[in-house]
Amino acid sequence: MTELLPLLRDAEQRLMALGVEEARLDLLYLAERAFGIPVSRLRRPDGLTGTAEQVAAFNALVDRRAAREPVQRILGDWEFWGLTLALGPETLIPRPDTETLVEGVLKACPDRARPWRILDLGTGTGAILLALLSEYPAAFGVGVDLSPDAAAVAQANAVSLGLSARAAFVAGSWVEALGGRFDIIVSNPPYIPDADIAGLAPEVARFEPWRALAGGADGLDPYRHLVRVLPPLLSPGGLLGFEHGADQGPAVADLMRGAGFKDVVSLRDLGGRDRVAMGRGSGHD
C-alpha cells in the first residue's frame, strides 16, 4: 500500500512547475476517481493509502493533466447547474459563467409551471437546455448542434437525467429545417476571434473543438447571422439570450437592437464581467 499524502504532494509540485492553475484541486478530482475516496476526505489525506493498481491509475491520470488535458475531459463528465453531464470530443466543457444565461432566463420568465417552448442553438452537451428543462417541468426544448456527435452526447445526457421525453436534439446548421415558434431562444455560440485561438491556454487551444470556439475575424459572425434569422422563430414578445465574450457585450447588444429586439440588457457573470445579452422579440405575449 502507498501513502497518499506524499503521492499527492509530489504530483502537485509537478503540475505547479508546469504552470497548471488550480493544480491541487485538479489532483483531488483525479484522486477521487482513481482511489474512490471523496474529495472532502482527500483534502486531509493523512493515513490514506492506495493499492499499486490504484496508484498506477492515478499516475496515468496525472500524466494526462501534465500534458495540459483539462481535468474535465480526463474525467469524461462535469457538473453544470447541479447536473452531471457527459462530455464528448465535439462538446465544449460546461463552465460556471454560462450559468449566468440560465439565471437570466429564469428571472425573465419566472412562471415555472408554463409549458415554455425552448430552443438552444449550439447545444453541445445540452447544458443550457437541460438546466432550463430541470427548472421548467412542463417545458419542451430543442437543441441544435452542427456536430452529430455533440447532438448524440446531449441526447444521452437528457436520457441519463430523465429529461429525454421533453427534449429533442438534432444535428444541423443553426436554424436550418426548424419550424414553428419558440418562447425562449438561447445560445452560447462560438465567439473567439479565429486568430486568437492559438494563443489561448493549452487546455482550450489544444483540447476544445475548434469550430465551437471560432467566431470569425472579430468573434461576432455567429451573432450577426443569428439576429437576422431568429425573429421568425421567436414568439411575439419571446426572449432571446446570448452568452458572449467579456468584451463583446456592447457589440452584441447593438446587433440585437439593430435587428429589432427590444428591452436589451446585459448581465454580468460571477467575476463581474459582461457575459450575457438578453432581449425581447417584437410584438406582445
Side-chain angles (χ1 to χ4, degrees), residues 196-228:
D196 293 351
I197 294 175
L200 298 175
E203 287 84 352
V204 178
R206 288 166 45 193
F207 291 96
E208 292 285 51
W210 190 87
R211 66 182 175 187
L213 299 172
D218 62 358
L220 297 173
D221 282 358
Y223 303 99
R224 294 188 182 96
H225 175 72
L226 290 172
V227 298
R228 186 175 68 252

Side-chain angles (χ1 to χ4, degrees), residues 202-279:
E203 287 84 352
V204 178
R206 288 166 45 193
F207 291 96
E208 292 285 51
W210 190 87
R211 66 182 175 187
L213 299 172
D218 62 358
L220 297 173
D221 282 358
Y223 303 99
R224 294 188 182 96
H225 175 72
L226 290 172
V227 298
R228 186 175 68 252
V229 300
L230 286 179
L233 290 174
L234 193 62
S235 299
L239 183 72
L240 172 64
F242 285 129
E243 180 175 340
H244 54 68
D247 60 348
Q248 295 171 326
V252 174
D254 285 346
L255 287 171
M256 293 176 69
R257 294 188 185 99
F261 290 91
K262 311 296 183 183
D263 304 322
V264 177
V265 298
S266 295
L267 306 178
R268 294 184 175 184
D269 61 25
L270 292 175
R273 300 159 297 193
D274 279 353
R275 184 60 59 188
V276 168
M278 302 187 75

